[in-house]
Amino acid sequence: MGIDELYPPDRLIAAQRATAAAGLDALLLTPGSDLRYLTGYDAHAGERLTCLVLPADGEPTLIVPRLERPAAEAGSTTGVRIVDHPDGADPYPLVVAALDGPPAAVGLADRMWAEQVLALRAALPGATQRLAGEVLRELRIRKSPAEIAALADAGAAIDEVHLRMGEWLRPGRTEAEVAADIAGAIRAAGHVSVDFVIVAAGPNGASPHHGTSDRPIGVGEPVVVDIGGTMASGYRSDCTRTYVAGAPAPADFLDYYEVLRDAQRAAVAAVRPGITGEQADAAAREPIAAAGHGPAFLHRTGHGIGLDGHEEPYLVAGNDRPIEAGMAFSIEPGIYLAGRHGARIEDIVVCTTDGVQRLNTTPTELIAL
């Protein structure tokens, strides 16, 4: 899988057509996943302006700080025209110059810094500002075969880390100590950065986004381990397994873990083209509720993944958008009992033309170490 295949030049053309169809004259994209999606360039976000000016009709221009021009030239796969600005110069006139006349409406990167939003408002006073995500979301939500391959590589890499958990997770060690070992293993498995490491033992497992602490792991305590990182491709991993070390888990935990495991498997099996995000959420939620644990399932069933760790589509009540082939997302139900313990099982999956492909393939049973 070559980088040109993962970030093909024709994405710029597709984005220009979508920009025109949305009634926008241009997209203005500062560093982030949208800029990388369209150019391949993983730009540094800083106080110096980097901005892709993508007119609906005309030549795209990547405006960069002069000291970052070599990185932009090396990082871009699309041959986009690059214009640089030296330190001390106002870069915003370059944005205006890259447009074919004053625009009526522009789409700004969804997570653009506020100081840049305001500067662009001053530079383009007649332009209505909208979110570029209105345009790019529809292009990014269905993954190409190259993107799916990149996500599969990320899934296999994070699976390697889970398979090594017995090297680090044992009673008496703190969550933070275990997390430090995991972070090193995430990089060793092929990730260029660690996005997050959650090691949540005993009562901390009842908090879905706990993180880590200096609390030692107790004998027989359930431990939720949710980990993910970014590969050199830019695509991300995210996988959760639940462990118990040193002794059998409490009986009440074992009872609801079986419910959770079956619910997660049912939700994965339910994925196919045409099912809605809400229906996929219900496939996990309904068996958990039927077993009496409905209030303990605190979050949505899943989120999309790609160049961002969380992106469209979301598997959540109220989302009536049908899932389509090529969409990639997590299936991660959880049960959390405050003050006691919790559990979560998470796989990344891809909707195929006739069903589903799991990108995380390690067992989903409770893992005794």
Side-chain angles (χ1 to χ4, degrees):
M1 177 184 59
I3 196 71
D4 291 344
E5 186 180 4
L6 193 56
Y7 297 100
D10 60 3
R11 279 185 182 166
L12 286 169
I13 298 171
Q16 287 181 296
R17 291 172 179 164
T19 299
L24 292 170
D25 297 306
L27 300 184
L28 306 177
L29 304 176
T30 45
S33 57
D34 285 338
L35 175 60
R36 188 169 191 182
Y37 178 80
L38 292 180
T39 68
Y41 177 39
D42 185 17
H44 168 72
E47 73 281 3
R48 299 177 176 95
L49 180 69
T50 294
C51 183
L52 174 66
V53 181
L54 185 72
D57 182 23
E59 183 180 16
T61 301
L62 180 59
I63 297 166
V64 302
R66 182 161 296 171
L67 76 168
E68 293 175 10
R69 182 171 188 133
E73 291 174 340
S76 174
T77 64
T78 58
V80 64
R81 181 173 77 106
I82 296 175
V83 174
D84 63 47
H85 57 91
D87 277 357
D90 181 1
Y92 291 93
L94 297 177
V95 176
V96 177
L99 295 167
D100 185 18
V106 295
L108 306 185
D110 288 14
R111 297 170 189 173
M112 182 181 288
W113 290 6
E115 65 181 6
Q116 295 165 341
V117 173
L118 296 177
L120 288 168
R121 184 176 298 172
L124 302 167
T128 299
Q129 293 180 334
R130 288 162 50 189
L131 292 176
E134 298 175 23
V135 174
L136 296 176
R137 185 180 301 119
E138 287 304 307
L139 300 182
R140 291 179 54 181
I141 197 169
R142 288 170 292 275
K143 271 50 180 182
S144 69
E147 289 180 284
I148 292 171
L151 285 168
D153 287 345
I158 210 68
D159 282 353
E160 287 182 27
V161 181
H162 274 294
L163 289 171
R164 295 181 58 193
M165 205 60 58
E167 298 177 28
W168 318 300
L169 201 164
R170 55 184 178 270
R173 300 197 75 204
T174 69
E175 295 171 342
E177 288 170 339
V178 174
D181 289 332
I182 292 171
I186 289 174
R187 292 186 180 91
H191 298 81
V192 296
S193 64
V194 178
D195 294 341
F196 55 89
V197 177
I198 294 174
V199 179
N204 290 337
S207 174
H209 282 178
H210 162 69
T212 65
S213 75
D214 291 329
R215 181 185 182 277
I217 296 168
V219 175
E221 282 188 335
V223 185
V224 179
V225 177
D226 184 356
I227 53 178
T230 302
M231 303 289 282
S233 65
Y235 287 78
R236 301 182 183 237
S237 64
D238 187 358
C239 183
T240 309
R241 293 292 183 263
T242 301
Y243 299 85
V244 61
D252 62 336
F253 175 86
L254 294 173
D255 289 342
Y256 76 72
Y257 188 87
E258 183 175 357
V259 171
L260 178 66
R261 181 201 62 198
D262 292 346
Q264 199 266 351
R265 290 178 178 176
V268 170
V271 174
R272 62 185 183 280
I275 189 175
T276 66
E278 182 172 59
Q279 289 171 328
D281 178 79
R285 196 167 303 278
E286 289 174 358
I288 291 173
H293 299 295
F297 184 178
L298 302 176
H299 51 74
R300 64 196 174 204
T301 292
H303 57 81
I305 190 170
L307 287 172
D308 285 317
H310 287 188
E311 58 184 53
E312 298 281 353
Y314 293 102
L315 310 189
V316 65
N319 182 5
D320 60 2
R321 175 172 181 155
I323 291 171
E324 303 172 46
M327 292 184 179
F329 44 86
S330 65
I331 301 286
E332 52 176 307
I335 295 175
Y336 311 95
L337 303 186
R340 295 162 63 190
H341 33 60
R344 180 165 63 257
I345 305 169
E346 176 183 19
D347 290 323
I348 301 301
V349 305
V350 176
C351 181
T352 65
T353 55
D354 58 359
V356 64
Q357 175 188 358
R358 283 178 67 209
L359 300 187
N360 297 109
T361 59
T362 60
T364 57
E365 286 81 10
L366 179 66
I367 303 167
L369 301 175

